[in-house]
Every structure is written in structure tokens, then in C-alpha cells.
Amino acid sequence: MSKKSIPIPGLSFSWKRAIGITQVKREIAKKTGIPTSKAGIERKIGNVILKALFGRK
């Protein structure tokens, strides 16, 4: 029976973060005001559609 390794909480490795993709995406989102995550884009599009239909509050 082999022993399964238990990951250390809070210790993980991300190759995207290591080469700087995360920082570039964050900077682009900050400058343009357009989120780079799927949920953020969906939220932004939903808000635009609702404002177009019902006008500004």
C-alpha cells in the first residue's frame, strides 16, 4: 500500500504566476477596466445589458 502525499496548506506552485502571466493580466484589466476572468467578463456584460435595457439608476 503506497502512502499518498498530503500537500502542505498554503504552499503551491503556479507556472503562470512564475513567468508573470498573472501580473500582466492584472495590469491589462486595471488599465482597460475589462476583467480577464470568465466570471468578471460575464458580470461586466450582464451589467452593460441591464443598463441598456433599463437605463441608469
Side-chain angles (χ1 to χ4, degrees):
M1 190 178 247
S2 65
K3 210 177 201 186
K4 291 185 179 182
S5 64
I6 299 172
I8 301 169
L11 182 65
S12 62
F13 178 78
S14 168
W15 64 270
K16 288 182 180 182
R17 195 167 164 114
I19 63 174
I21 292 175
T22 303
Q23 184 176 3
V24 171
K25 285 174 66 175
R26 188 172 53 85
E27 288 175 2
I28 290 170
K30 204 170 183 182
K31 287 180 182 176
T32 62
I34 301 170
T36 54
S37 68
K38 184 179 176 183
I41 292 169
E42 289 173 352
R43 188 172 60 243
K44 184 100 174 176
I45 291 171
N47 284 337
V48 169
I49 291 170
L50 288 175
K51 284 182 182 178
L53 291 174
F54 300 112
R56 296 194 179 263
K57 289 184 177 182

